[in-house]
Amino acid sequence: MRRTAALSVLAATVTVALLAPTPATAGDRGGGGPDRQHILQPTLAGRATLSADFLAPGPPSGALATPANGRQGPFPGQVIPGFSGMVDAGDGTFWALPDNGFGTKANSADFLLRLYRVTPDWQGGAIEVGEFLSLRDPDRRAGFPIVNESTPDRLLTGADFDVESVVRAPDGSFWIGEEFGPFLLHVDATGTLLAPPVPFVGGKSPQNPFLQPGETANVRASRGFEAMAGSRDGRFLYPITEGAFVDDPDQRRRTIYEFDTATGAYTGRTWAYQTHQDANVIGDAFLTGKRELLVIERDDFQGAASVMKRVYRIDLSSVDADGYVRKTLVVDALKIANPDRLGAGDGYGTDDPFALPVQSFETVVQLRDGRLLLANDNNYPGNAARVAGTPDDTEMVLVDLRRQRAPRAGDVTVVGHRGASGYRPEHTLAAYETAILQCADYIEPDLVPTKDGVLVARHENEIGGTTNVADRAEFADRRATKVIDGRTVTGWFTEDFTLAELKTLRAKERLPAVRPANTAFDGLYEVPTLDEVLDLARHSVTCDGKPVGVYPETKHPTYFDSIGLSLEEPLLAQLAANGLDDRRSPVIIQSFETSNLRELDRHTKVDLAQLVDCSGAPYDLVAAGDPRTYKDLVTRQGLREISRYADGVGLCKDVMIPRDADGTLGTPSSVIRDAHRAGLEVHGWTFRRENQFLPAEFRSSADPNAVGDLAGEIRVFVDAGMDGLFSDNPDIAAATVG
């Protein structure tokens, strides 16, 4: 399917983009340029932790904190609830900034705002807490009554400001990004507030002390300046809104501002950054060059539920066609190589590969040697990403952006079937991200439209079994009975919901009896749009350093044409919008029908695949009175006909190797050989690890849901000549064919 040429060209582009800005590889930019045979491999070089229960000197804190994980305040000292921002002191120590304490103004009045000098012991694995600077306002600069209004020191608390990001100026003072305003705060080297809080030119949050009666806050609570970068000369600050503005029609937009410390004013220059989904937030930022920033994008999930914990590099001088800064993946913090097994045994994600699956991944600092320092806010005592029921420690991890020889790409293509649907509810970004982490070459979204014509990823347009729609009383009247491809179906259908309505639903496991472990993720994830799936893929790389491919299936095209919701036009439009519409793009469009593939062949250069079921006939042929069946499509003549409009076939396993009466694999048919002779690649579906889906000789027991020998089955089909496969378990598939 022209895959080899497409991926090799794009892989070179991705490798160059990843390596060029990295100081550790700067020498490679001279002469002949970077070595395209090598890829960036983020590798854990150090890890140090601070006990979640550590208490710094000071009065009791957390009297009103929400109890969690067996901890309840007040605590006999000052809690350190992780680090939201950090500054490299240049001597192996760091100035670390916790946030406002316990999450809200109402419960954090006894939490003192401080900067702590901390020293990570990369060998011993502990974080030493040394001196601290108390943020205070003795000169009454705040401009509003603070908690310690009448005290001599006027120490600032978490009920006064929600401090989240920090930059150090050349004169030793600190600039701090804050969320209650949101404000910019300037404190001297002792922590004293030097000037009134700088008001945000973009608006106010509901916690802003200067919000007037009747005034509408356009910055959501706790969505101010979680992230802020600073130029090395101290002249400019680049605060970034953590979330979208309330009234922004694009809720994936985050805005980067420029502030001139010399004039004490915003310059008026802004840039737009687009997150993968509406709910994702910007956790931190660090300026690495005149216009290049590292940016953390994360979700609010933790532990195994985590989907997005990434560091991107953005270039303020380069924007895409929609006006968003271009972003390049530097570190997926859910998969960091850990050959030395640092921290192994400390809970979820501490093996090899290492993951930082904390809810609040909020610190990135590039050190002078090019390595990255990452850290977390643990929202004490609420987060328990590593060990259920135990508050998360504060972690500082050191990531080496080393280069290593790219592994040889396997000859057999692995497609994450509906994502890694054996491990996460299908057709969610969680399933797609898991498939990418498990070394899938492609991720596969099945596409159906909403009422307003937006393509979303669902196995079927009936969503009663894959979302919580049946539990939503306001949608009870949407339940309907329809005839889809000649079959009567009762339930709730995507074409009866607008995208906005569909986004209020949450996905659930379609086969709970088969995959009970997946039900732990029920109710967490949105139904993703095609655009969101494409966006994830094009900002990801496979395990061998190539672009992640997308293998969309158009579902029921004849039916959707009949109700005025054609799939093909919006599909091609989204591919074009994401720059995935040329011959080199790692995209394969598939369909069980034939007419829409013929139509697509006239309008796109991306690869096409004709799906072939084990029985029956393409519904477009049935509707047209054409007597041909899927069996007719895989004759020699049928395959030659397919080759006129498609590049490959996606075959039901039994078409390639039928099963004998006892359920074991029989003799391979000639279809793979015939397809190859017609110039078609052959991908098989669907390879699943549970006994009920396996041939008899590869089952482990009589339990239909127990895990059998999927690898054994895959090897038989690969030996028969199959070029690629769809699998619910891409980790097993990739390990088998790699």
Side-chain angles (χ1 to χ4, degrees):
M1 298 184 186
R2 299 192 291 266
R3 175 177 177 271
T4 303
L7 292 186
S8 62
V9 172
L10 286 178
T13 303
V14 170
T15 303
V16 172
L18 282 170
L19 294 178
T22 305
T25 62
D28 295 322
R29 295 200 297 273
D35 181 355
R36 295 180 181 181
Q37 307 244 334
H38 290 74
I39 61 171
L40 191 70
Q41 177 59 74
T43 302
L44 193 65
R47 178 176 182 260
T49 63
L50 177 68
S51 170
D53 297 317
F54 179 89
L55 293 174
S61 61
L64 299 179
T66 302
N69 295 310
R71 310 300 197 269
Q72 183 170 2
F75 307 103
Q78 286 291 298
V79 169
I80 296 183
F83 303 137
S84 289
M86 198 170 290
V87 171
D88 185 359
D91 58 359
T93 69
F94 300 84
W95 286 107
L97 178 73
D99 61 12
N100 86 310
F102 303 104
T104 71
K105 278 193 172 193
N107 65 10
S108 299
D110 58 6
F111 182 83
L112 299 176
L113 303 185
R114 294 171 172 176
L115 276 161
Y116 290 91
R117 187 186 286 268
V118 300
T119 306
D121 179 358
W122 302 120
Q123 301 301 317
I127 298 173
E128 176 186 341
V129 178
E131 64 177 312
F132 60 82
L133 306 177
S134 292
L135 304 189
R136 57 194 187 277
D137 182 26
D139 301 319
R140 299 181 178 273
R141 309 277 194 186
F144 60 88
I146 63 174
V147 170
N148 293 317
E149 179 74 17
S150 303
T151 64
D153 290 336
R154 287 174 55 86
L155 297 178
L156 296 174
T157 74
D160 302 318
F161 295 106
D162 184 4
V163 293
E164 296 286 359
S165 48
V166 59
V167 170
R168 195 168 198 185
D171 64 2
S173 63
F174 296 91
W175 284 93
I176 295 172
E178 190 273 347
E179 292 204 306
F180 285 161
F183 298 120
L184 297 179
L185 307 178
H186 192 196
V187 302
D188 68 14
T190 72
T192 299
L193 192 63
L194 290 171
V198 179
F200 178 37
V201 292
K204 298 176 182 176
S205 87
Q207 290 79 28
N208 189 302
F210 304 113
L211 192 70
Q212 298 300 307
E215 185 179 4
T216 300
N218 67 330
V219 178
R220 289 185 173 87
S222 194
R223 288 295 182 259
F225 295 146
E226 183 76 50
M228 181 172 67
S231 61
R232 292 179 182 177
D233 63 3
R235 176 68 185 271
F236 295 105
L237 302 176
Y238 296 92
I240 308 175
T241 54
E242 182 180 13
F245 289 108
V246 173
D247 55 354
D248 193 332
D250 183 358
Q251 288 293 295
R252 292 167 61 189
R253 189 191 336 263
R254 309 293 178 262
T255 307
I256 304 166
Y257 290 80
E258 185 177 66
F259 180 81
D260 187 338
T261 61
T263 64
Y266 286 91
T267 67
R269 299 186 68 187
T270 63
W271 297 264
Y273 174 104
Q274 188 177 52
T275 57
H276 289 286
Q277 288 196 307
D278 292 359
N280 284 4
V281 298
I282 303 302
D284 197 16
F286 187 90
L287 198 71
T288 61
K290 188 174 182 180
R291 282 288 181 265
E292 291 177 346
L293 284 81
L294 298 176
V295 173
I296 290 176
E297 181 178 341
R298 67 168 178 85
D299 57 28
D300 263 334
F301 299 119
Q302 63 175 332
S306 297
V307 179
M308 185 63 53
K309 312 291 180 186
R310 293 186 170 193
V311 178
Y312 285 110
R313 177 173 281 108
I314 63 172
D315 185 346
L316 299 183
S317 63
S318 177
V319 298
D320 63 21
D322 295 320
Y324 291 103
V325 291
R326 302 182 190 278
K327 59 185 185 183
T328 302
L329 181 64
V330 176
V331 178
D332 187 332
L334 296 180
K335 191 174 184 179
I336 300 171
N338 188 17
D340 297 326
R341 296 174 58 81
L342 301 177
D346 281 357
Y348 179 83
T350 56
D351 210 317
D352 183 19
F354 178 88
L356 194 64
V358 293
Q359 178 187 22
S360 296
F361 171 27
E362 293 188 357
T363 296
V364 59
V365 175
Q366 186 174 63
L367 306 185
R368 295 175 184 179
D369 61 7
R371 294 184 296 179
L372 300 186
L373 177 72
L374 311 178
N376 69 303
D377 173 353
N378 64 16
N379 297 305
Y380 186 83
N383 290 166
R386 295 293 192 195
V387 180
T390 301
D392 282 334
D393 291 338
T394 300
E395 299 186 38
M396 296 174 65
V397 300
L398 197 59
V399 178
D400 184 359
L401 300 180
R402 67 180 61 171
R403 296 169 65 240
Q404 69 175 30
R405 182 170 291 278
R408 180 181 177 275
D411 295 328
V412 178
T413 300
V414 174
V415 183
H417 183 239
R418 309 173 193 167
S421 52
Y423 309 105
R424 298 292 186 275
E426 65 187 32
H427 293 310
T428 60
L429 286 196
Y432 298 128
E433 166 71 355
T434 301
I436 293 168
L437 296 177
Q438 292 185 349
C439 299
D441 298 303
Y442 284 77
I443 54 178
E444 184 218 21
D446 294 341
L447 301 180
V448 293
T450 63
K451 185 177 183 178
D452 40 354
V454 179
L455 297 183
V456 296
R458 288 290 87 190
H459 174 50
E460 291 289 346
N461 53 325
E462 197 291 302
I463 55 174
T466 60
T467 73
N468 63 347
V469 65
D471 301 326
R472 298 286 295 275
E474 68 270 36
F475 297 134
D477 62 351
R478 306 282 178 93
R479 193 168 188 266
T481 298
K482 302 187 179 189
V483 178
I484 311 294
D485 293 358
R487 185 170 63 94
T488 301
V489 181
T490 298
W492 290 263
F493 299 85
T494 58
E495 63 266 29
D496 296 330
F497 291 78
T498 65
L499 178 62
E501 291 173 329
L502 202 64
K503 280 293 189 178
T504 69
L505 304 178
R506 291 297 177 265
K508 68 177 185 179
E509 172 55 38
R510 186 175 61 89
L511 301 171
V514 179
R515 298 163 180 161
N518 281 11
T519 62
F521 306 102
D522 285 356
L524 297 182
Y525 306 124
E526 295 180 5
V527 174
T529 64
L530 170 61
D531 182 50
E532 290 167 345
V533 178
L534 296 175
D535 189 59
L536 176 68
R538 68 188 178 92
H539 289 105
S540 302
V541 292
T542 65
C543 293
D544 52 12
K546 294 178 172 60
V548 172
V550 184
Y551 211 134
E553 179 186 343
T554 56
K555 303 289 289 192
H556 312 300
T558 295
Y559 166 75
F560 284 118
D561 276 347
S562 74
I563 62 172
L565 288 171
S566 179
L567 303 170
E568 292 73 29
E569 292 82 2
L571 169 55
L572 296 183
Q574 281 300 327
L575 290 175
N578 283 275
L580 294 170
D581 60 341
D582 63 35
R583 190 175 298 277
R584 300 177 302 166
S585 298
V587 175
I588 304 170
I589 302 174
Q590 56 178 331
S591 178
F592 277 103
E593 297 189 14
T594 65
S595 302
N596 72 319
L597 288 178
R598 293 176 186 275
E599 176 188 349
L600 285 165
D601 185 46
R602 295 191 294 270
H603 294 95
T604 183
K605 296 178 181 178
V606 303
D607 286 352
L608 305 176
Q610 176 67 63
L611 293 175
V612 175
D613 209 339
C614 290
S615 61
Y619 186 72
D620 61 313
L621 300 185
V622 174
D626 189 321
R628 286 177 296 164
T629 66
Y630 285 118
K631 186 176 181 180
D632 296 315
L633 264 57
V634 293
T635 63
R636 290 182 182 178
Q637 177 58 38
L639 291 166
R640 286 195 293 269
E641 178 64 26
I642 289 172
S643 70
R644 294 191 176 100
Y645 62 85
D647 305 275
V649 287
L651 304 179
C652 169
K653 291 187 297 185
D654 290 356
V655 171
M656 294 181 285
I657 307 180
R659 294 192 189 185
D660 290 336
D662 62 357
T664 61
L665 290 176
T667 302
S669 72
S670 65
V671 69
I672 296 177
R673 182 186 67 236
D674 294 341
H676 286 161
R677 286 176 175 172
L680 298 168
E681 284 203 18
V682 177
H683 293 173
W685 55 272
T686 301
F687 290 84
R688 300 175 165 113
R689 65 178 180 173
E690 292 84 11
N691 284 329
Q692 63 182 287
F693 304 116
L694 291 167
E697 66 266 42
F698 296 110
R699 297 170 191 162
S700 61
S701 68
D703 180 353
N705 297 323
V707 174
D709 182 11
L710 174 58
E713 182 196 27
I714 290 172
R715 281 191 286 268
V716 173
F717 281 82
V718 170
D719 288 345
M722 181 180 67
D723 303 302
L725 70 150
F726 294 80
S727 181
D728 292 2
N729 312 98
D731 55 341
I732 298 173
T736 303
V737 306

